[in-house]
Structure formats: structure tokens, C-alpha cells
């Protein structure tokens, strides 16, 4: 019996010392395996006297169960420890901000484009695009700007090169986003509600002009669109964009070849100590051109002006970015000065959306 007691102490110590599943399996085999210490002793029972067997048998069986339970408990403990180690190793706090903070910023023009897109999406406008190298027809003729029309000269157009002897009109760097009106009408037909933000080019350079700048075009076509809807849409846009409770717009009769009637739109504002306030005061500032789409333009877009009508508008993005964010000089927009970009740029991971506020 002393022998059994020694065996017990020895095996339980081995179980406790096994610190991985393989070591534990070795302990199991040396104790309980076919040729293990317990199994060998059980086999010897046959050669014992009945009295001896009656005490040794139950003792061996009890030891066998005890070792079995100890092995199982040790295996579970090892598995728990392994899982815990893995959880610790793979633990990741997804609520922490990325570090180091991204150093790049969103350019004010991109920010304003994102803001515009969010506002107009909210009132049902999708985004349309067109090429920056545009055909003369899309940029001018289709917009009712005939070859001899003075607007062609006013636009200070950059012309692309044509091979000598090729007498077709050269392509142009688009002078406005209005040609996207034609492309959207051709691609989608009526009814239609799109905005088209993008780059435009004119040969012009001073404190308020750059040869490349940005516009956003708007176009809404349906059976009975009126100027009242144009006015509501623009008011709604300005209120949301300038983040004020109320704005006042003034429509001034004007002329654009692609709209009839046409209006330039001013917004009520004030300047106090060089600070612009939108929505109050005695000043007016022009912010965009607009009107009812000219029948010639609808026709060029493949839309029947007898059945459909609509409004359009075009607005300078750089300018409204300067106004909203108090940026004094347009030229700095395109100089890629890191100090300027860090100062006027926006957090790279914040996308403007209406419920959360446009310019957090
Ligand atoms: N394309 C004009 C420009 O660049 C802006 C404009 C005015 C666009 C009136 C329009 C509009 O769609 O209706 O000066």
C-alpha cells in the first residue's frame, strides 16, 4: 500500500509540473497508458490472494480516478491560460484614435465640395461629372454660345492643340462647369436633378483670379419647375452652407446665353472689422449666376423643351470657401504651402454631414 501512496504522490507531482499539453499527455501515458504504472499494477491483481486483491483493487481504482480527474483539471487550466494569453496578445482598443495623428489635412476646396455635396444630396441632387478637356461644342455651342458670341472672348479660353491641317474646332480646357449640364441631360434624360462640382480654367491671374479654379453647377429639370423653386433651393443651400438660421437673397436681372430669364444672385451680409456676417447687415454680395434653362440648351441635351423645363445655376467654389472660412487671398489656395494647408485645412477623417454639423 505504501507503494500506491508513493505512486500517487509522484504522478500528481508530474501532473502539476506539466506546463503544456504534450508534457501532460506524456504523464498520462506513463501513468494510465497500456504500459503505464497503474495499468501494470492492475494487471498484477490476478496474481494476488483474494484478501490482498480486496484492499489493493479498490485503492488502485480510486487512484486511477483521482489521476484521471487531476489530468483533466490540469488540461483545462492549460487551455484557459493559452486562451487568456491569446486574448491578451490580440487585444485591440478600436475606440482609440489612430496614432500618430494623420498629418495631412483636407484642402478647404475639397471640404467645401464635400459640404456642397452633402447639402444638395439632402434635397435630392446627385453628383454629375464631365471631362476637364472639353469639346468646343459642349463648352460653347450646346450652351447657346454661338461662334461669334462675345462670351467666347470673355471666357479667356485655353485651347488645345490640333494637328496641322485638322480644321475641326480645337478642344478647350472647360471654362465653366456648365457643359456638364449637357452631358447629364444626354446621359440621364428628364426629370433630372444634379450638381456638378469641378475644376475650370481661364487665362486670368491676379489676387482674386487663378487660371484654374472651381465651380459647382446645378441643374433641375422637370415638368413644371419654376424660378420660385430655384430661389428656395438656393436659400436652403445658403442657410445650410453658411450655417446661419436665415439668409436673404436678391435676384438681379442679368444675361447668360444658356438661361432665359437669367439672374445674378446676391446675399445679404455685413462687414464688421473685416469680419463678414452672412444673413444680416446692409451690404449685398454677388455669389452666383442662375436662370431658367434656355430651350436651345434643353434641345442640345436631347430634352424636348415643349414638355420639360428647369433651372440652372453656377457658383464659384473657391470664392464661397474664402467667404465662409475667412481666407483672404485666392492664390494661396494653389501654392501648396504646408503651413497654409495646416492652418486652413480640415481634419482628414471628419466627413461633413448635415446632422453632425458641416464644419466641426
Ligand atoms: N457658367 C457661368 C459662368 O461660368 C455661371 C452660370 C451662370 C452657370 C448661370 C449657370 C447659370 O448654370 O444658369 O460664369
Amino acid at each position: 500500500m505504501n507503494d500506491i501512496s508513493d505512486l500517487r504522490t509522484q504522478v500528481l507531482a508530474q501532473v502539476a509540473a506539466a506546463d503544456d499539453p504534450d508534457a501532460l499527455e506524456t504523464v498520462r501515458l506513463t501513468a494510465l497508458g497500456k504500459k503505464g504504472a497503474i495499468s501494470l499494477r492492475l494487471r498484477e491483481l490476478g496474481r494476488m490472494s483474494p484478501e490482498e486483491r480486496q484492499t489493493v483493487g479498490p485503492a488502485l481504482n480510486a487512484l486511477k480516478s483521482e489521476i484521471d480527474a487531476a489530468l483533466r483539471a490540469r488540461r483545462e487550466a492549460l487551455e484557459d491560460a493559452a486562451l487568456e494569453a491569446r486574448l491578451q496578445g490580440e487585444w485591440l482598443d478600436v475606440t482609440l484614435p489612430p496614432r500618430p495623428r494623420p498629418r495631412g489635412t483636407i484642402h478647404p476646396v475639397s471640404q467645401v465640395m464635400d459640404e456642397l455635396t452633402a447639402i444638395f444630396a439632402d434635397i435630392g441632387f446627385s453628383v454629375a461629372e464631365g471631362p476637364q478637356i472639353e469639346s468646343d461644342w459642349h463648352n460653347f455651342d450646346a450652351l447657346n454660345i454661338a461662334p461669334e458670341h462675345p462670351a467666347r472672348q470673355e471666357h479667356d479660353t485655353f485651347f488645345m492643340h490640333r494637328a496641322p491641317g485638322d480644321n475641326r474646332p480645337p478642344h478647350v480646357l472647360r471654362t465653366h462647369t456648365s457643359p456638364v449640364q449637357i452631358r447629364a441631360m444626354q446621359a440621364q434624360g428628364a426629370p433630372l436633378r444634379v450638381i456638378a462640382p469641378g475644376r475650370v480654367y481661364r487665362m486670368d491671374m491676379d489676387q482674386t483670379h487663378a487660371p484654374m479654379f472651381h465651380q459647382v453647377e446645378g441643374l433641375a429639370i422637370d415638368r413644371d419647375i419654376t424660378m420660385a423653386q430655384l430661389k428656395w433651393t438656393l436659400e436652403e443651400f445658403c442657410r445650410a452652407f453658411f450655417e446661419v438660421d436665415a439668409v436673404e437673397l436678391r435676384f438681379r436681372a442679368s444675361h447668360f446665353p444658356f438661361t432665359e430669364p437669367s439672374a445674378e444672385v446676391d446675399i445679404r451680409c455685413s462687414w464688421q472689422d473685416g469680419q463678414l456676417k452672412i444673413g444680416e447687415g446692409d451690404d449685398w454680395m454677388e455669389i452666383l449666376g442662375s436662370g431658367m434653362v434656355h430651350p436651345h440648351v434643353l434641345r442640345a441635351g436631347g430634352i424636348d423643351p415643349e414638355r420639360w423645363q428647369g433651372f440652372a445655376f453656377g457658383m464659384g467654389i473657391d470664392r464661397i470657401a474664402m467667404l465662409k472660412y475667412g481666407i483672404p487671398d485666392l492664390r494661396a489656395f494653389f501654392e501648396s504651402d504646408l503651413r497654409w494647408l495646416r492652418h486652413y485645412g480640415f481634419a482628414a477623417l471628419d466627413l461633413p454631414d448635415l446632422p453632425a454639423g458641416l464644419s466641426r
Side-chain angles (χ1 to χ4, degrees):
M1 290 302 274
N2 272 346
D3 170 45
I4 292 184
S5 159
D6 288 350
L7 183 60
R8 175 178 179 277
T9 313
Q10 183 194 338
V11 174
L12 290 181
Q14 285 171 348
V15 170
D19 51 10
D20 64 64
D22 287 345
L24 198 61
E25 179 62 7
T26 310
V27 176
R28 189 186 71 79
L29 288 173
T30 51
L32 305 181
K34 260 197 197 137
K35 290 180 184 151
I38 306 282
S39 316
L40 291 179
R41 280 177 178 71
L42 281 169
R43 234 171 281 156
E44 282 165 11
L45 284 177
R47 278 186 264 125
M48 291 178 185
S49 66
E51 297 77 39
E52 230 180 338
R53 205 181 303 147
Q54 256 176 16
T55 51
V56 177
L60 274 177
N61 276 322
L63 177 58
K64 188 179 171 192
S65 310
E66 189 182 358
I67 291 174
D68 211 41
L71 282 166
R72 204 165 315 135
R74 182 73 187 142
R75 176 163 300 121
E76 265 172 36
L78 287 176
E79 281 169 4
D80 286 353
L83 181 62
E84 185 58 28
R86 187 163 160 213
L87 286 174
Q88 286 295 331
E90 294 177 6
W91 185 81
L92 179 70
D93 183 353
V94 294
T95 66
L96 279 177
R99 274 175 298 191
R101 264 187 75 76
R103 297 183 66 203
T105 57
I106 301 294
H107 194 285
V109 169
S110 302
Q111 168 75 17
V112 165
M113 283 192 185
D114 289 344
E115 293 181 17
L116 287 168
T117 306
I119 297 169
F120 279 107
D122 192 54
I123 46 180
F125 286 71
S126 55
V127 172
E129 285 180 317
Q132 294 176 38
I133 297 173
E134 187 54 286
S135 78
D136 181 85
W137 185 82
H138 284 93
N139 196 80
F140 294 121
D141 303 73
L143 290 163
N144 199 33
I145 310 174
E148 66 285 355
H149 197 287
R152 291 217 181 195
Q153 278 70 55
E154 285 162 23
H155 275 204
D156 303 312
T157 312
F158 287 106
F159 291 96
M160 306 300 288
H161 185 70
R162 276 243 187 252
D166 185 341
N167 293 323
R168 290 172 301 167
H171 279 57
V172 300
L173 289 180
R174 69 179 179 196
T175 58
H176 49 178
T177 43
S178 302
V180 187
Q181 288 189 31
I182 305 297
R183 292 184 177 275
M185 286 190 271
Q186 289 178 329
Q188 300 177 41
L192 184 64
R193 266 183 287 181
V194 289
I195 57 163
R199 290 189 169 173
V200 299
Y201 302 83
R202 289 183 202 177
M203 237 183 289
D204 205 350
M205 180 75 169
D206 60 33
Q207 194 159 352
T208 54
H209 296 91
M212 184 282 296
F213 57 105
H214 301 81
Q215 289 187 335
V216 58
E217 197 76 13
L219 176 66
I221 294 174
D222 214 319
R223 298 278 182 199
D224 47 14
I225 295 264
T226 67
M227 279 193 98
Q229 284 149 351
L230 169 64
K231 188 157 194 251
W232 180 87
T233 303
L234 293 175
E235 277 170 359
E236 199 58 20
F237 164 72
C238 289
R239 218 172 40 72
F241 178 74
F242 290 108
E243 301 181 59
V244 291
D245 291 333
V247 292
E248 199 181 327
L249 297 184
R250 181 172 77 176
F251 278 52
R252 250 180 316 103
S254 182
H255 173 78
F256 300 103
F258 26 88
T259 44
E260 180 59 38
S262 304
E264 280 174 304
V265 177
D266 305 332
I267 190 166
R268 185 184 283 282
C269 65
S270 70
W271 288 97
Q272 282 162 4
D273 312 320
Q275 271 280 82
L276 172 74
K277 280 227 167 75
I278 297 284
E280 56 186 70
D282 297 324
D283 278 338
W284 294 94
M285 192 171 41
E286 185 196 322
I287 52 166
L288 59 91
S290 66
M292 299 302 291
V293 182
H294 197 289
H296 288 356
V297 175
L298 289 171
R299 225 173 271 121
I303 287 177
D304 181 359
E306 300 296 328
R307 298 171 60 217
W308 303 96
Q309 60 189 36
F311 67 69
F313 60 86
M315 185 162 41
I317 291 182
D318 316 271
R319 200 168 130 71
I320 61 170
M322 290 169 76
L323 292 175
K324 179 167 179 180
Y325 292 112
I327 304 171
D329 188 342
L330 174 73
R331 286 170 299 190
F333 272 63
F334 311 120
E335 281 171 356
S336 303
D337 180 334
L338 274 180
R339 290 163 308 171
W340 188 93
L341 290 169
R342 290 208 181 106
H343 180 76
Y344 287 110
F346 291 80
L349 300 177
D350 289 346
L351 262 190
D353 72 80
L354 288 176
L358 288 176
S359 54
R360 280 160 289 167

